Amino acid sequence: MNSPWRLSGSAHAPLRLLLAHGAGAGMDHPFLVSLCEHLAGDLLQVVRFNFPYMARSLEEGRRRPPDRAPVLLQCWREMIERFADRPLLLAGKSMGGRMAAELADESKAAGLVLLGYPFHPSGKPEHWRGEVLKRMTTPTLLLQGERDSFGNRCELTDFAFSAAVQVVWIPDGDHSFAPRRSSGHSEAANLSLAAARIIDFAKGVA
């Protein structure tokens, strides 16, 4: 069985970032691998991990639906406990970040990083969620694509974010920060921007 997590960066880094995947792709998705390459170093040790359903999916060679929220949250709590020998930043792509937001305050994490928060299912803006971000007390960095189909900049204009939440809009980015060719922006530049903002955020909470 493959390890359910990947660890990179300095063993002596003062902060550890736990990085969870989204609903449809695991910890080795190119987006997370590339982001990890930007982040892991002397400041941040990065731990990517798979939720139980994704680990089973890889073992069985077939797609599985995400676990229910209690299972996902329990996995998060186990990862936090396992790697809590230094200050932690909780981070997650889409669903992984949404679950991290639900327990960030209880975990006493040093910070929370959200990569494309799913404010509603794509194409279903009537199913709104994300109220936790109105009452968050943990220092939080939200990186959201301007065109994210799970919650775009226009939709979030009047959203009453907690004072603990810092929002950074990724130029013309979709749910994975990829811009349109006509925008003049590039996916690589957007990923670099996201990583730079995360590193700045980490320095602020270190």
Side-chain angles (χ1 to χ4, degrees), residues 28-167:
D28 291 325
H29 186 275
F31 176 91
L32 296 183
V33 173
S34 295
L35 184 66
C36 182
E37 290 172 351
H38 280 80
L39 296 177
D42 292 335
L43 174 65
L44 286 172
Q45 185 183 64
V46 181
V47 181
R48 291 177 284 136
F49 67 94
N50 279 331
F51 289 112
Y53 80 93
M54 186 59 68
R56 291 194 301 272
S57 175
L58 294 171
E59 287 177 16
E60 298 168 359
R62 64 186 181 92
R63 291 182 66 87
R64 300 182 66 100
D67 296 310
R68 304 290 290 178
V71 176
L72 299 174
L73 292 172
Q74 180 58 27
C75 178
W76 253 119
R77 291 187 176 101
E78 290 172 0
M79 291 297 295
I80 291 168
E81 182 177 4
R82 178 181 293 273
F83 290 102
D85 60 314
R86 72 191 69 181
L88 293 175
L89 295 180
L90 310 186
K93 179 76 181 78
S94 194
M95 180 196 74
R98 181 185 172 209
M99 292 297 104
E102 294 296 327
L103 49 71
D105 286 352
E106 75 173 56
S107 75
K108 308 300 183 184
L112 171 68
V113 178
L114 303 173
L115 304 159
Y117 190 90
F119 286 91
H120 57 74
S122 182
K124 299 181 179 179
E126 67 276 12
H127 297 299
W128 194 260
R129 57 201 179 199
E131 296 302 297
V132 65
L133 299 182
K134 294 182 177 181
R135 58 179 185 271
M136 184 70 64
T137 60
T138 302
T140 298
L141 176 65
L142 168 62
L143 297 154
Q144 194 82 1
E146 290 182 331
R147 298 183 300 110
D148 194 327
S149 61
F150 292 77
N152 62 47
R153 188 166 192 168
C154 181
E155 290 176 303
L156 292 163
T157 298
D158 297 320
F159 190 81
F161 286 104
S162 159
V165 179
Q166 174 190 352
V167 182

